[in-house]
Each structure stands twice: as C-alpha cells, then as structure tokens.
Amino acid sequence: MTPTTETMVGIGGAAESTDMVLNIGPQHPSTHGVLRLKLLLDGERITRAEPVIGYMHRGAEKLFEARDYRQIIVLANRHDWLSAFSNELGVVLAVERMLGMEVPARAVWTRTLLAELNRVLNHLMFLGSYPLELGGITPVFYAFREREVLQTVMEEVSGGRMHYMFNRVGGLKEDLPAGWTTRARAAVSAVRSRMDVFDDLVLGNEIFRGRTRGVGALSPEAVHAYGVSGPIARASGVDFDLRRDEPYLAYGELQDVLKVVSRSEGDCLARFECLLEQTYNALDLADACLDRVAELPPGPINQRLPKVLKAPEGHTYAWTENPLGINGYYLVSKGEKTPYRLKLRSASYNNIQALTELLPGTLVADMVAILGSMFFVVGDIDK
C-alpha cells in the first residue's frame, strides 16, 4: 500500500478569531471631547465596550461645600455648558424649597421662557454636530446661524453668552430690558421659519437615514437599568418628562402646549427625530411664555434676601428636565451659609453608561454614529 504524505500549510492568525483592544480617545477629536472608549474587537465587530471617564473632572461637588448659596450658582451652570440656564435652575429650586420660599409669578414665567430658549440652543448644537460626525458639514452652519439669533437675545437679557448667571435664590437677577420680549418673539419666529432645513437637509438625506436607521437600538429595559433619560430615553419608548409628569415652574399651566415626543424604535434615527421635534415644541413653549409674560401686571422679579443667606437644617432633592435629560441636586444643610453636601445627578453621566450595552455586537464603522446620537456633554459626565 502506497504511504500517504501529509503537508501542513501555515496560514497565519487569520485562521482563528483574534481579539484586539482599540482605544478611542482621549484626544479631543474623539467626537465629543475628552472621553475615552476602550473597545475589544473581533475583526470589525465590537465585543466589549468600556467608557473611561474622568479626564475633565473638576471636583464641582466638593467646591460647592466651600461656597455660599449665592456663589454655587456660578459653579453649577458649567457642567453642561450648553444648558447653563437650566443647570442654575436646579440649584435655586433646591435652596428655595429648603427655605420654603415662594417666587414671584413674573420670575416663574420668565424662568420657564429662558429655560426653553436654552433648550433650543442646546438641541441646535446637536442637530448640527451629529450630521457633521457622519460626514455632512452643511447642517452645522445652519445650526450656528440659528444659535446666534437666540444667543443675541439671551446675552442681552443676562449679560452672559454661555454662562448666564441670571438665576438668583428667590427669582432672577433683574427684570427684562425694555422691548426685549418683542425682540425675543422675533428671534423665535425667525428660528422657527428656518427649522425645516433640518427636515429637508438631514432627515431627507438617504445617506443619513442609511447610516442611522436600525443602528444602535437601545431597549426600554436598558434605559431603565442605566437610568437613561431625556430624548434618548423617549426615543426608546420610555415616555417620561418631568415637565409633564412632575411639573415645576410654570409647566403645570402649559400642558396644552407641551408635547412629549417619543419613538419606539430606539435607534440613532429615532433619537435624532426626537431631538428635532422637541426643538419645535420648545419654540412653541417659548411663544406661550412670551404671551403670558406680556399679560402679567408689573411686579417684582425676585425676593429680597438677607445679607447672609442660611438654609435651615435638613435635606431636599430638586430635579428638572434639562435638555439632555434629568438633572438633579440633592442638598443637605446643617443650617450654615454653605451647603453641607450638594450632590449632582447629571443626565450625561447615566446616558453614556448605556454604551457598555449598546456598542457590543455592532461594527466599528457604526460606533461614531451611535456615539454621536447619545447627545452628551463631557463636562456633564465628569462634573
């Protein structure tokens, strides 16, 4: 019988599955600032993802303990630099609740108005930057044009361009400038008249839809498990909005105008659609607030405070529906002029944790599309 000869041919590492660790960041071009993603890859597919945070940590919660109740406002408005006015609100609402203080109606409605204008400013940034991350540069120019229109009126009323420092315990810093409501109404109208560019240029783009439809679907179970909130949670069918479900400021009287936008798909496209529709609704809410402010009789816009403001001993929790999701402050007071403890619950911190469940199983090519659709601010993660 003729003997058989066997020959072994080496074909290298491609014959078996090999894992590779890929670091995304923490350099700035990593989409949204200094966030680092540690990915474990099997070929082009992500098998494990770990967000590595803390590169922008500034110890704000500890700094709160060394500042009095007037000073902490200027620190609190910086963690989500796109939502400075909304950040301030949580602090003053918590302190006012501890003091049992009632704020004048004029301040309540003006706060609601400015909060919704701030919401539009926040959303416009992401409406422009998300297509940019997918290769479309044009929408960001339109987004910044509309932001400039609204920032002009916000800067006029507060003196600040990004960090307004306009809230005060007991109300607002000062009354609205003469004729400001007319200019604000014109700005809202101008922005609304041009918002259809995002419907046509972005949602109407087949490449954008191809990169986002069915990509990065987040389940409602994951939303609840990680504490995800805001437009990201509502895009997954979790229909929760504090402005409707636990009204604060003047939202209880705006229920006929307020529209909570939600989707069931939970993918990148659904998240963008929720953000866009919520921007339209924020403009409607701003108009409704302008109507109400015009009807209010002349009156104070803040309460007179003692020279040294001390909150009584106790604790409270105040949360608001920030543009990116739920923002909460847990305040503990020992009866001094500084908080004993002020814990910040930021929206972006919880939202970004869902990436550990969202990215595994997806392709590296889809990672940027998913990451950009989470709509986070790195300072809001690190605090």
Side-chain angles (χ1 to χ4, degrees):
M1 187 173 182
T2 305
T4 303
T5 302
E6 293 183 359
T7 304
M8 182 67 70
V9 179
I11 57 175
E16 57 181 339
S17 175
T18 56
D19 291 336
M20 180 177 73
V21 177
L22 177 66
N23 279 288
I24 306 295
Q27 77 277 8
H28 183 72
S30 164
T31 66
H32 282 278
V34 281
L35 170 74
R36 175 185 166 207
L37 286 178
K38 185 179 178 183
L39 307 178
L40 186 66
L41 305 180
D42 179 5
E44 287 292 314
R45 198 165 294 278
I46 300 170
T47 58
R48 192 171 69 209
E50 178 189 353
V52 183
I53 65 173
Y55 293 96
M56 292 185 70
H57 180 61
R58 59 192 177 93
E61 293 174 330
K62 202 64 184 173
L63 291 172
F64 291 156
E65 299 173 14
R67 306 293 191 278
D68 66 35
Y69 289 108
R70 293 179 174 91
Q71 294 170 325
I72 58 177
I73 300 172
V74 76
L75 286 174
N77 70 12
R78 280 163 164 73
H79 56 89
D80 175 1
W81 48 77
L82 297 177
S83 312
F85 188 87
S86 302
N87 299 340
E88 298 170 9
L89 269 178
V91 173
V92 296
L93 290 175
V95 178
E96 288 163 4
R97 186 174 296 173
M98 288 285 284
L99 294 168
M101 179 182 290
E102 186 174 345
V103 177
R106 192 168 185 80
V108 171
W109 281 96
T110 306
R111 279 178 173 178
T112 311
L113 165 63
L114 296 176
E116 290 305 313
L117 291 178
N118 195 194
R119 192 181 309 276
V120 177
L121 282 170
N122 175 289
H123 290 354
L124 280 170
M125 177 63 79
F126 291 106
L127 291 174
S129 68
Y130 185 40
L132 179 64
E133 287 157 15
L134 297 180
I137 193 172
T138 308
V140 75
F141 295 126
Y142 290 106
F144 269 85
R145 178 185 65 181
E146 310 313 330
R147 276 176 55 84
E148 285 298 318
V149 173
L150 292 177
Q151 278 191 286
T152 298
V153 295
M154 292 292 283
E155 186 175 4
E156 180 188 358
V157 74
S158 67
R161 183 167 177 81
M162 284 187 68
H163 306 300
Y164 305 109
M165 190 53 191
F166 197 53
N167 276 288
R168 296 292 186 274
V169 176
L172 294 168
K173 176 187 173 185
E174 56 197 7
D175 210 342
L176 303 174
W180 181 86
T181 54
T182 302
R183 292 187 288 277
R185 194 183 297 276
V188 170
S189 177
V191 171
R192 183 190 287 108
S193 69
R194 296 191 291 256
M195 282 297 295
D196 60 348
V197 71
F198 296 101
D199 290 288
D200 300 335
L201 197 61
V202 183
L203 287 180
N205 186 295
E206 61 183 32
I207 299 176
F208 178 83
R209 300 184 76 87
R211 288 291 308 275
T212 55
R213 185 192 285 114
V215 175
L218 185 65
S219 68
E221 292 76 20
V223 167
H224 291 299
Y226 287 95
V228 175
S229 59
I232 300 172
R234 291 191 285 273
S236 295
V238 180
D239 189 10
F240 180 72
D241 191 314
L242 283 174
R243 296 174 297 170
R244 178 197 63 195
D245 301 321
E246 196 174 310
Y248 58 98
L249 293 181
Y251 289 114
E253 300 180 48
L254 291 169
Q255 296 301 305
D256 56 334
V257 182
L258 176 63
K259 177 186 176 185
V260 179
V261 182
S262 64
R263 293 287 188 277
S264 59
E265 296 83 1
D267 57 10
C268 296
L269 181 60
R271 290 191 278 273
F272 186 87
E273 288 177 343
C274 279
L275 200 74
L276 180 56
E277 284 195 38
Q278 192 167 285
T279 307
Y280 280 111
N281 186 239
L283 292 169
D284 294 338
L285 287 167
D287 266 340
C289 290
L290 283 166
D291 292 339
R292 185 59 188 269
V293 168
E295 297 170 359
L296 291 174
I301 203 160
N302 50 38
Q303 294 275 28
R304 292 183 64 87
L305 299 177
K307 188 173 182 179
V308 178
L309 180 63
K310 295 183 178 182
E313 189 169 345
H315 60 92
T316 190
Y317 182 70
W319 56 348
T320 57
E321 187 69 38
N322 264 35
L324 297 180
I326 293 175
N327 185 75
Y329 290 99
Y330 178 60
L331 171 63
V332 181
S333 172
K334 290 291 186 73
E336 301 297 329
K337 65 179 182 179
T338 61
Y340 176 74
R341 189 76 176 92
L342 186 57
K343 178 70 175 69
L344 166 61
R345 189 266 190 219
S346 62
S348 298
Y349 179 82
N350 286 73
N351 291 355
I352 207 65
Q353 305 308 316
L355 288 173
T356 58
E357 186 160 329
L358 196 55
L359 287 177
T362 63
L363 297 171
V364 176
D366 291 328
M367 183 270 299
V368 173
I370 296 170
L371 187 61
S373 73
M374 298 306 285
F375 310 132
F376 60 87
V377 169
V378 178
D380 202 40
I381 301 172
D382 292 339
K383 298 173 281 186

